[in-house]
Amino acid sequence: MLNKLQLHLNANFTFLKGRRLFIAVSGGMDSMVLLHLFSQLNYEIAVLHCNFSLRNLESDGDEEFVKEYCVNKQIPIFVKKFDTNQFAENAKLSIQVAARKLRYDWFYEKLADENFDYILTAHHLEDSLETFLINFTRGTGLEGLTGIPKQNDKIIRPLLPFSRVEIENFIKENNLKWREDSSNASNKYLRNKVRHAIVPILKELNSNLLSSFQNTVENLQQAQSLVEDAAKLVFQIVVMKENNQLKINLIELLKMPNYPAYLYQWLKDFGFTAWDDINDLVTAQSGKQVFSDTHALLKDRDFLILYLKENDTLQEEYFINKGIKEVKVPLNITFCNVSDISNVNANCIFVDEDSLQFPIIVRKWHEGDYFFPLGMQGKKKLSKYFKDEKMSLIEKSSQWVLCSGNQIVWVVGKRQDDRFKINENTINKLQITFQ
């Protein structure tokens, strides 16, 4: 098994040479084999152990077992104890999802704290098969049928080519000790039901099940790679990046017979799940939106616009006192008294400071707001100004104004108000710049 692992590493993970590696060790059979193997190879390793406090004394026993092994082998070890039940209750998560979040959040924290490069986990071939079957029963796309990836960012899974039988034989041949997790025998969890009830039947139907599964996964991974390549090529034709937004050209998109598949590939990493709603958005009226936890997708004429949702904790009004030189929230704006005027543009205005009523206010625009555009006669509603400027719904919803009392001084980054301009009687000239 050591020779097979070395060949696998040389073929797929040459970048691990010279890197500092954490090994996630629970104390179970799989992780103890992984630790034993890597302790015999020429890598700098340390151990991460999570005590989830889910099996009382048994969990503490696992921790002590892993600690003792590492001390005897002079392997550095880091241990973290979690109150998983309390975290799951507070976060309204299942125990399994909560444990997974706690584990990987801590893993990445230790990578940064200890200046390590990668984390190795002991997932093996049957784990990948079980994941395939679970995703299949729940309903999934092609990506969900490609098994467990051998690498996911900083997480490396070097035992994926090995079966459970190979691991068990290695344990016996090398007389290794390990800890049995009593929860593995219970069918309380879906993965255990698949492992104990479904996989054995499939192996009866096909004695070469694992080999067949490996071939199938390799084929599906190649197909997934083709899908990703096609999505990248079409992305370059259909999608524009503009002001931290993605604008999907619907005229070009609808030329693609399988456009819902492209939308899925482009948007899946932004937390969206309501794919029927997203597909309906393509032909919906302007102004319709679909939301994920972090992003919004807006139909605006011939475009779908993806943008980051604003922080709901932002207050409605921000007050700026006289003499303040710079503010960072909600916008980065600087104030400077000057003797002459230069570099006038949409992001830099010059006003008569004595005409301002302090504190001046930064706020979002409101329906019914109006101002007197610099250089024009009379007033204009902001809604009409935005329409004339052909501003999108997103641009309008995120527009800030700088006010003196109830009067708009500046549609920030767009147009100054004529009432506050510098004239021949101005004594104190104030330059206001939007960074």
Side-chain angles (χ1 to χ4, degrees), residues 4 9 38 64 66 92 102 143 176 217 226 261 271 297 303 308 324 338 342 368 393 407 420:
K4 181 178 176 180
L9 294 174
F38 269 83
E64 291 306 315
V66 177
K92 294 181 171 57
L102 289 170
E143 190 174 3
L176 297 181
V217 165
L226 288 175
L297 188 66
F303 292 91
L308 187 67
I324 294 293
V338 295
S342 62
L393 292 172
Q407 297 180 325
F420 299 90

Side-chain angles (χ1 to χ4, degrees), residues 314-325:
L314 286 177
Q315 61 195 61
E316 292 185 359
E317 294 184 342
Y318 294 80
F319 296 89
I320 304 170
N321 292 313
K322 187 173 184 177
I324 294 293
K325 298 300 182 184

Side-chain angles (χ1 to χ4, degrees), residues 126-139:
E126 271 97 335
D127 289 326
S128 188
L129 173 62
E130 291 160 9
T131 298
F132 172 94
L133 293 172
I134 289 170
N135 289 342
F136 175 76
T137 57
R138 287 173 171 169

Side-chain angles (χ1 to χ4, degrees), residues 145-406:
L145 299 177
T146 55
I148 298 175
K150 61 185 178 183
Q151 179 179 359
N152 187 5
D153 191 24
K154 297 292 185 179
I155 307 297
I156 307 290
R157 303 177 178 97
L159 294 189
L160 280 180
F162 298 91
S163 68
R164 182 173 284 114
V165 170
E166 288 178 284
I167 291 171
E168 290 173 349
N169 289 340
F170 184 84
I171 281 275
K172 294 174 184 176
E173 291 167 2
N174 292 271
N175 196 28
L176 297 181
K177 294 181 180 179
W178 53 284
R179 296 271 296 181
E180 180 63 68
D181 184 340
S182 61
S183 66
N184 286 338
S186 169
N187 280 343
K188 176 182 177 181
Y189 302 113
L190 175 59
R191 183 171 292 273
N192 287 353
K193 289 180 181 179
V194 172
R195 180 178 303 163
H196 299 147
I198 297 175
V199 172
I201 294 175
L202 294 176
K203 288 182 176 179
E204 286 181 13
L205 295 173
N206 179 3
S207 59
N208 295 316
L209 175 66
L210 293 180
S211 176
S212 299
F213 171 69
Q214 278 184 307
N215 291 334
T216 299
V217 165
E218 288 175 3
N219 292 335
L220 290 172
Q221 288 173 344
Q222 290 177 8
Q224 177 66 20
S225 180
L226 288 175
V227 169
E228 291 172 354
D229 289 344
K232 290 176 183 176
L233 290 173
V234 176
F235 183 94
Q236 295 174 5
I237 300 171
V238 175
V239 185
M240 297 177 293
K241 292 183 179 180
E242 185 178 287
N243 298 327
N244 297 321
Q245 301 170 3
L246 292 184
K247 297 184 69 174
I248 301 172
N249 186 320
L250 293 177
I251 294 175
E252 294 297 327
L253 179 69
L254 290 172
K255 294 177 182 178
M256 309 297 168
N258 297 313
Y259 71 83
Y262 290 111
L263 287 175
Y264 173 79
Q265 288 297 317
W266 299 331
L267 300 174
K268 61 185 174 65
D269 292 333
F270 295 98
F272 291 100
T273 56
W275 298 108
D276 287 342
D277 292 343
I278 288 176
N279 294 336
D280 291 343
L281 202 60
V282 172
T283 55
Q285 292 181 342
S286 287
K288 297 289 186 180
Q289 298 190 74
V290 177
F291 299 95
S292 72
D293 289 340
T294 57
H295 287 76
L297 188 66
L298 166 72
K299 171 68 178 294
D300 186 28
R301 296 185 285 272
D302 293 329
F303 292 91
L304 294 183
I305 303 176
L306 176 73
Y307 64 99
L308 187 67
K309 287 162 60 176
E310 287 199 356
N311 189 341
D312 292 336
T313 62
L314 286 177
Q315 61 195 61
E316 292 185 359
E317 294 184 342
Y318 294 80
F319 296 89
I320 304 170
N321 292 313
K322 187 173 184 177
I324 294 293
K325 298 300 182 184
E326 183 177 20
V327 295
K328 296 286 188 180
V329 178
L331 304 172
N332 189 351
I333 302 177
T334 59
F335 302 86
C336 179
N337 288 103
V338 295
S339 57
D340 56 356
I341 300 173
S342 62
N343 192 33
V344 179
N345 58 65
N347 290 327
C348 178
I349 66 170
F350 296 85
V351 301
D352 184 335
E353 186 175 21
D354 297 324
S355 68
L356 299 176
Q357 176 185 328
F358 285 93
I360 55 177
I361 302 166
V362 177
R363 63 167 173 81
K364 286 290 187 68
W365 79 283
H366 301 151
E367 194 66 45
D369 276 344
Y370 65 88
F371 76 130
F372 291 74
L374 183 65
M376 291 181 58
Q377 293 289 331
K379 66 181 181 181
K380 191 170 194 175
K381 280 193 172 183
L382 285 191
S383 56
K384 179 65 166 61
Y385 171 75
F386 294 155
K387 184 177 181 180
D388 292 344
E389 293 293 308
K390 294 182 169 56
M391 290 173 60
S392 72
L393 292 172
I394 296 173
E395 290 172 321
K396 287 188 285 187
S397 68
S398 60
Q399 182 62 55
W400 295 86
V401 291
L402 181 70
C403 300
S404 172
N406 293 322

